[in-house]
Amino acid sequence: MKKGNASLHWTVVLYLALSTICVTANMERIELLPEMVPVESDETCEIIAYRRCTANINKTLLPTSPALVRNNPIAVVSGKTDYTLSFDIVPNGTITDGYASILHFTTGNDCCDFGSRSPAIWFRTGSTELHVRIGDSTDGNWGFDRTDALPLNIRTKVTLECKGNDVKLTVGGKVYTATQPTHRFVGNLIVYAGNPGNQAAKAVISNLDYKILPAAGGNVVVSGGLGLTATI
């Protein structure tokens, strides 16, 4: 390679390496936007002028009110074993020909390898009952099969809290609990507000918030919205 072309070559290589994440789900090839790729530091974020990025895995920008649309990747997060996921949801209809996707955190596939549903949430066919999968090292599809139906056209608060072997799902005023068989997935996860394999739920979500819970020896917090929460 000629010396004059070296910097251009490495610039192109760096751009391609940072700008493309390809995953396969239901035989579809999905390419994420460059601004959704995790990067190493705030400085790197400034250099490449990304609108969304993660820095030192402590900060992630998530839209608080993403539109639910089929095949709608909204972020990449560094998932940890202990976390809370919460949002408000107003269902305004049902889907009669399959489950309706709300949120799906995945390594790339729909099901059922470890990390493919970490977590993933749907409305069940023809209803507003929630189907919540959390995943376990022994079963990538482990979770809550169904909840009571959510009321149509009324806001309901949903909170999933996973800490150690304790898993708690709160839907409105009702609490569902389960014991994690072994442990949850840790690693980078693509976040969909409407996954590629299902129709998107007929609903509006708001106040989306994903927080990594404190572990022994320190805190790491990831929060939704335009502000970034600091570690303490």
Side-chain angles (χ1 to χ4, degrees), residues 28-49:
E28 295 184 36
R29 185 174 182 272
I30 299 121
E31 186 171 282
L32 295 188
L33 298 176
E35 63 267 23
M36 294 177 180
V37 178
V39 295
E40 294 300 321
S41 68
D42 289 321
E43 181 180 9
T44 308
C45 291
E46 293 175 3
I47 290 172
I48 58 183

Side-chain angles (χ1 to χ4, degrees), residues 65-86:
S65 303
L68 298 184
V69 181
R70 186 169 186 166
N71 191 14
N72 182 25
I74 58 172
V76 173
V77 299
S78 294
K80 298 296 181 181
T81 187
D82 294 343
Y83 63 87
T84 61
L85 171 65
S86 62

